[in-house]
Amino acid sequence: DPERKTEVVLLACGSFNPITNMHLRLFELAKDYFHETGKYKVIKGIISPVGDAYKKKGLISANHRVAMAKLATKNSDWVEVDDWESCQSEWLETLKVLRYHHQKLLSADVTNSLQDAVPITKLGRKRKQEPNRHEPIKKKNQSPVVKSVPQVKLLCGSDMLESFGIPNLWKLEDITEIVEKHGLVCISRAGNNVQKFIYESDILWRHKNNIHLVEEWITNDISSTKIRRALRRGQSIRYLVPDVVGAYIEKNKLYSPESEDRNAGVVLAPLQKHASDSKNSQALN
């Protein structure tokens, strides 16, 4: 019964500096994986570029990164760009971004079920129990057949999963809530040792059923770092990024030795924020 499939929204957070064909492939790989299980239906993909306050070396301004991501997904019928995170004046933990999108789906869901319920009240000529107009909604949500609110899962590459092990980069309780309440979809190179990494972490192991490992058999080694390097050297990046993104970079002369030196010597926002918490120095293992 297709109605019983769990709806999934895939959320990818990161710099997207710039967005590449690899970033777009992650969504396709994850969607194929979920549909092949027969248990899930991916209804949306969201790209959420990090804000400028993240202070990563070489990070160009968020409005350019968002603009490129929007160009890159213009032809997708299911992946979209959300600029809420990038518009915040302070850096936000990934968990807060997940919570925000979960909340947004919750409120959208309430609106939908209210709209769905309206015709029901019009059926009877006279409804004696007019005050109980909301009754059908309640029943509707209790029935097991009705789909629950879509799950927002964090889509990442194996490098992001392994960054969980870097002291002070992530808060332990954040990692726990991400894998416990939401879930991770990790795209890993065939033969990459993500399983071993999960095995070596008690937190990840405890929630391993909520960590979906997707094997990437057609390997794709494009990274934003390599794209920026090619650009600094005046080399072509065609077929590594969508054509529209390449054109945008060229038109706005975005990446240069100067832009790569942005935030040089500045401590990354999460490290600044979390270093004070001595709890985190134990890292993940």
Side-chain angles (χ1 to χ4, degrees):
D1 179 4
E3 288 305 296
R4 288 180 179 273
K5 287 185 183 166
T6 305
E7 293 190 336
V8 169
V9 171
L10 300 169
L11 172 69
C13 295
S15 303
F16 300 99
N17 185 36
I19 191 165
T20 72
N21 287 343
M22 175 209 53
H23 292 128
L24 303 167
R25 277 296 294 159
L26 295 182
F27 282 95
E28 298 295 324
L29 288 160
K31 186 184 183 190
D32 281 348
Y33 161 85
F34 277 118
H35 289 177
E36 282 163 19
T37 65
K39 296 180 201 155
Y40 298 93
K41 180 176 196 282
V42 175
I43 56 165
K44 194 185 346 193
I46 301 169
I47 289 173
S48 179
V50 77
D52 294 332
Y54 186 52
K55 297 278 184 242
K56 190 176 181 179
K57 185 178 180 296
L59 192 66
I60 67 162
S61 85
N63 51 8
H64 281 312
R65 292 181 289 109
V66 167
M68 288 187 286
K70 284 184 172 167
L71 286 168
T73 51
K74 206 169 62 197
N75 295 331
S76 173
D77 55 358
W78 67 285
V79 181
E80 57 189 50
V81 179
D82 190 284
D83 64 358
W84 177 79
E85 178 186 359
S86 67
C87 288
Q88 306 303 307
S89 53
E90 288 181 11
W91 167 75
L92 284 188
E93 287 94 339
T94 299
L95 175 59
K96 288 183 180 160
V97 185
L98 263 171
R99 281 182 189 155
Y100 165 82
H101 286 287
H102 178 71
Q103 227 15 77
K104 206 167 143 182
L105 285 162
L106 275 178
S107 40
D109 199 61
V110 170
T111 322
N112 290 343
S113 46
L114 280 167
Q115 284 166 349
D116 292 348
V118 171
I120 299 172
T121 57
K122 289 180 182 159
L123 290 176
R125 299 243 174 90
K126 277 200 182 113
R127 277 267 161 145
K128 293 228 171 65
Q129 66 281 45
E130 198 57 358
N132 293 338
R133 270 182 81 141
H134 61 282
E135 205 45 53
I137 306 169
K138 213 148 104 200
K139 282 203 193 81
K140 190 180 161 197
N141 285 347
Q142 282 161 1
S143 136
V145 182
V146 169
K147 294 168 291 194
S148 50
V149 178
Q151 296 179 358
V152 186
K153 296 196 179 293
L154 189 62
L155 174 60
C156 62
S158 48
D159 52 343
M160 183 179 183
L161 185 73
E162 288 174 7
S163 79
F164 283 176
I166 300 171
N168 298 325
L169 191 61
W170 296 81
K171 287 195 283 200
L172 277 181
E173 55 268 38
D174 279 17
I175 294 173
T176 308
E177 190 174 324
I178 288 170
V179 290
E180 196 170 52
K181 301 242 162 58
H182 301 281
L184 276 177
V185 193
C186 180
I187 313 285
S188 70
R189 308 275 140 81
N192 184 304
N193 236 336
V194 180
Q195 268 117 332
K196 182 172 183 283
F197 185 78
I198 293 171
Y199 160 74
E200 286 172 355
S201 151
D202 287 345
I203 292 182
L204 297 180
W205 183 260
R206 193 177 314 130
H207 299 289
K208 65 178 187 292
N209 293 342
N210 224 355
I211 302 174
H212 302 268
L213 295 183
V214 183
E215 291 268 25
E216 179 182 23
W217 293 104
I218 305 176
T219 50
N220 180 341
D221 203 23
I222 305 169
S223 72
S224 298
T225 307
K226 292 175 181 176
I227 298 285
R228 293 196 305 276
R229 183 179 296 137
L231 287 163
R232 289 198 304 277
R233 295 174 183 179
Q235 294 165 341
S236 162
I237 55 166
R238 190 148 195 214
Y239 311 118
L240 301 177
V241 303
D243 284 347
V244 280
V245 171
Y248 183 94
I249 290 171
E250 207 170 313
K251 184 178 144 218
N252 294 281
K253 301 184 174 52
L254 288 189
Y255 294 101
S256 64
E258 292 73 48
S259 73
E260 198 60 23
D261 280 337
R262 279 183 71 163
N263 298 323
V266 180
V267 178
L268 210 57
L271 297 178
Q272 261 177 3
K273 193 167 180 181
H274 302 151
S276 48
D277 308 357
S278 53
K279 268 206 306 274
N280 295 323
S281 55
Q282 295 146 22
L284 208 56
N285 342 39

